[in-house]
């Protein structure tokens, strides 16, 4: 089993005599640095909840927080050669990695939000005066194509926001969904839409 599989799957119980719960933090850290995958699994069990809590508190999204947990432990495993138990506790080292990965996630979220905002602006321009900016027609088609890939609730919320210029409160009133549900669909839809546009360099003029 690879290290990534060890992190992505729920780690199996360690072999008898090597129960991670019985190891001290120092013993666990030493085994981790040596490349012992059992110690990676044990570290994931011992500190995964801490990493998740920190990520969820900063990001406000449990799914993004779960992604950060995976990224943190994979980064820690790959960079274990740079950790020295003599210089500090493994917990503090993991927290430092977590903070950096949270910052990366927030930066990525900002880029996606900017891209989606640009997409919305392109849609508005195309609706108001398609002749004023010919490439906006292409942008409109691309965004419409990406919207079609989203789950129906997310697609409906974003379509009402983009095409009908409705607020989330107005969408909640129109659909009969609780405002919290509308916000959740919007957030997840924007996340997916922004990621798809970012990966495809979808908007004309995008670098």
């Amino acid at each position: 089993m690879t290290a990534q599989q060890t992190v992505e799957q729920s780690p199996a119980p360690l072999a008898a005599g090597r129960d991670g719960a019985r190891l001290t933090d120092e013993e666990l850290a030493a085994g981790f640095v040596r490349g012992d995958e059992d110690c990676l699994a044990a570290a994931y069990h011992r500190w995964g909840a801490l990493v998740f809590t920190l990520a969820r508190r900063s990001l406000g999204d449990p799914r993004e927080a779960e992604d950060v947990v995976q990224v943190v432990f994979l980064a820690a495993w790959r960079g274990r050669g740079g950790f020295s138990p003599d210089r500090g506790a493994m917990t503090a080292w993991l927290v430092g990695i977590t903070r950096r990965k949270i910052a990366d996630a927030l930066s990525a979220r900002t880029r996606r939000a900017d891209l989606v905002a640009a997409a919305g602006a392109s849609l508005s321009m195309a609706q108001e005066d398609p002749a004023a900016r010919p490439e906006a027609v292409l942008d409109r088609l691309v965004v419409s194509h990406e919207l079609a890939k989203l789950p129906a609730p997310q697609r409906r919320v974003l379509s009402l926001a983009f095409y009908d210029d409705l607020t989330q409160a107005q969408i909640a009133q129109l659909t009969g969904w609780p405002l919290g549900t509308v916000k959740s669909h919007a957030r997840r839809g924007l996340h997916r839409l922004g990621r798809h546009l970012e990966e495809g360099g979808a908007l004309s003029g995008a670098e």
Side-chain angles (χ1 to χ4, degrees), residues 165-176:
D165 197 27
L166 297 182
T167 66
Q168 291 180 339
Q170 290 171 329
I171 293 173
Q173 184 175 11
L174 177 66
T175 61

Side-chain angles (χ1 to χ4, degrees), residues 4-16:
Q4 183 166 356
Q5 289 172 325
T6 301
V7 171
E8 290 179 346
Q9 298 177 4
S10 178
L14 303 183

Side-chain angles (χ1 to χ4, degrees), residues 41-195:
Y44 186 79
H45 275 303
R46 186 170 299 185
W47 294 304
L50 170 63
V51 173
F52 176 81
T53 298
L54 292 173
R56 184 172 184 177
R57 186 180 301 161
S58 297
L59 299 171
D61 187 323
R63 291 192 178 184
E64 281 190 273
E66 290 171 0
D67 290 342
V68 168
V69 173
Q70 303 294 338
V71 170
V72 166
F73 279 94
L74 286 174
W77 181 252
R78 291 166 179 163
R80 62 188 182 279
F83 170 65
S84 173
D86 296 335
R87 293 203 299 265
M90 188 171 177
T91 311
W93 182 60
L94 287 173
V95 168
I97 296 175
T98 301
R99 288 173 177 166
R100 291 193 294 274
K101 297 308 179 182
I102 289 172
D104 291 344
L106 290 171
S107 295
R109 178 188 289 179
T110 299
R111 290 194 300 272
R112 288 193 298 268
D114 290 344
L115 193 56
V116 170
S122 296
L123 289 173
S124 297
M125 291 181 67
Q127 287 174 323
E128 292 173 2
D129 186 3
R133 183 171 177 261
E135 65 271 23
V137 177
L138 176 59
D139 289 345
R140 177 186 174 87
L141 292 175
V142 170
V143 174
S144 297
H145 177 70
E146 296 299 337
L147 277 173
K149 298 178 182 179
L150 299 178
Q154 297 173 13
R155 181 170 65 249
R156 187 177 186 193
V157 168
L158 293 186
S159 294
L160 289 171
F162 281 155
Y163 296 117
D164 297 332
D165 197 27
L166 297 182
T167 66
Q168 291 180 339
Q170 290 171 329
I171 293 173
Q173 184 175 11
L174 177 66
T175 61
W177 295 335
L179 181 58
T181 299
V182 171
K183 290 181 177 181
S184 178
H185 287 324
R187 182 175 65 252
R188 293 176 182 175
L190 287 173
H191 178 83
R192 291 190 181 189
L193 178 60
R195 184 179 59 205

